[in-house]
Every structure is written in C-alpha cells, then in structure tokens.
Amino acid sequence: MNKQISPKISLFVVPVSWVVAAIVAIVLWATKYDWIYYLLGVCTGLLNFGLMLKMNRRIVRMAELYPDTAAIMAKRQAWIGVLLRMLVFTAVFLAIFFKEVYKNPDSNRVWNLVIAFGGYATVKVVLVVIYLIFRKKVSE
C-alpha cells in the first residue's frame, strides 16, 4: 500500500502545462478567441492535479498509520478525492455555462466552454505524456 505518486512527476507536469498553456493562449489570442477561458480550464486542471496528489499522500500516510484498516480507509479517501475533483470541475464549467451559453443561446458562446474544456484536457494530456516518457526514469 506504499504506492505514492512520485513528487518528481509534478515538478515536470506543472511547468510543462504552463508552457503549453502559454503557447496555446497566444495562438487563441492571435485568432481572436477568448483565451482567458483556456487559462481557466488549465487552472482547473492543475487544481484537480494538486488535489489528486494531496489525496494520494493522505492515503499513503493513513496506510502507514493504520495498516489493519488501510484498504477500507484508502477506498473511502479515494472516493472522497474523486468526488471533490468532480465537484470542482462541475462548479467551474457550470459557472462558464451560465455566464456565457445560458444568457446568449443564439450566439457562438458555446465555443468558450469548448475552449475551457480544452485547457482542462491539456493538463491531462501533459500528465499522460510525462508518465509515459519518465515511467522508468523518475523512480525512487
């Protein structure tokens, strides 16, 4: 039960995500799209990544403190973490929906929601790529 996510991974994921986000935001700005929604999606993705790391550390620490009930506590903490991350994602994207799409159903404001989701997905893609690249190199 000592499968902790390496903190070295986050040292790569966060800066690479910001570099990719800066490049994409500049391209969106140059093409006259609302680039701020892309950055909002990136920030939401990085917040959820941080929550995932925090829950992982909490699960590992609880497994070391209470080894006899580690499996039950790990499942409970994992579900709490997933629900918290889903709550953050849902709140941010519902706020974007009600601010942009709900007030203006006839316009092309739905693209702001798509752009924000692209920012959120950018962090996930960077995370997967970093895991694939450094799968064996970043180990403790």
Side-chain angles (χ1 to χ4, degrees):
M1 183 62 76
N2 56 3
K3 297 284 186 179
Q4 184 174 4
I5 297 174
S6 174
K8 295 177 184 176
I9 293 292
S10 64
L11 294 176
F12 291 108
V13 171
V14 175
V16 170
S17 295
W18 279 117
V19 167
V20 171
I23 293 169
V24 173
I26 290 170
V27 169
L28 288 173
W29 171 77
T31 56
K32 306 288 191 236
Y33 282 104
D34 286 332
W35 56 273
I36 200 75
Y37 291 104
Y38 181 79
L39 291 181
L40 186 63
V42 170
C43 289
T44 304
L46 288 173
L47 175 66
N48 279 348
F49 177 68
L51 289 173
M52 180 184 69
L53 289 178
K54 184 174 176 132
M55 280 300 179
N56 180 260
R57 284 194 303 265
R58 182 179 288 173
I59 289 170
V60 170
R61 187 175 62 237
M62 291 178 95
E64 291 172 355
L65 292 175
Y66 308 106
D68 52 338
T69 59
I72 295 169
M73 293 175 117
K75 286 180 185 177
R76 191 179 82 211
Q77 287 297 319
W79 277 108
I80 289 171
V82 167
L83 291 175
L84 182 63
R85 292 192 314 264
M86 285 176 31
L87 179 70
V88 167
F89 174 83
T90 304
V92 168
F93 281 86
L94 279 177
I96 294 171
F97 173 78
F98 283 117
K99 181 182 180 297
E100 293 295 325
V101 180
Y102 187 71
K103 289 183 181 178
N104 306 313
D106 295 333
S107 66
N108 289 331
R109 301 285 183 139
V110 73
W111 284 107
N112 292 339
L113 198 60
V114 173
I115 289 170
F117 184 75
Y120 182 80
T122 298
V123 177
K124 303 301 179 190
V125 169
V126 167
L127 177 65
V128 169
V129 169
I130 295 292
Y131 272 140
L132 290 175
I133 290 173
F134 295 109
R135 170 176 33 197
K136 300 292 182 188
K137 296 177 187 171
V138 182
S139 61
E140 297 176 322

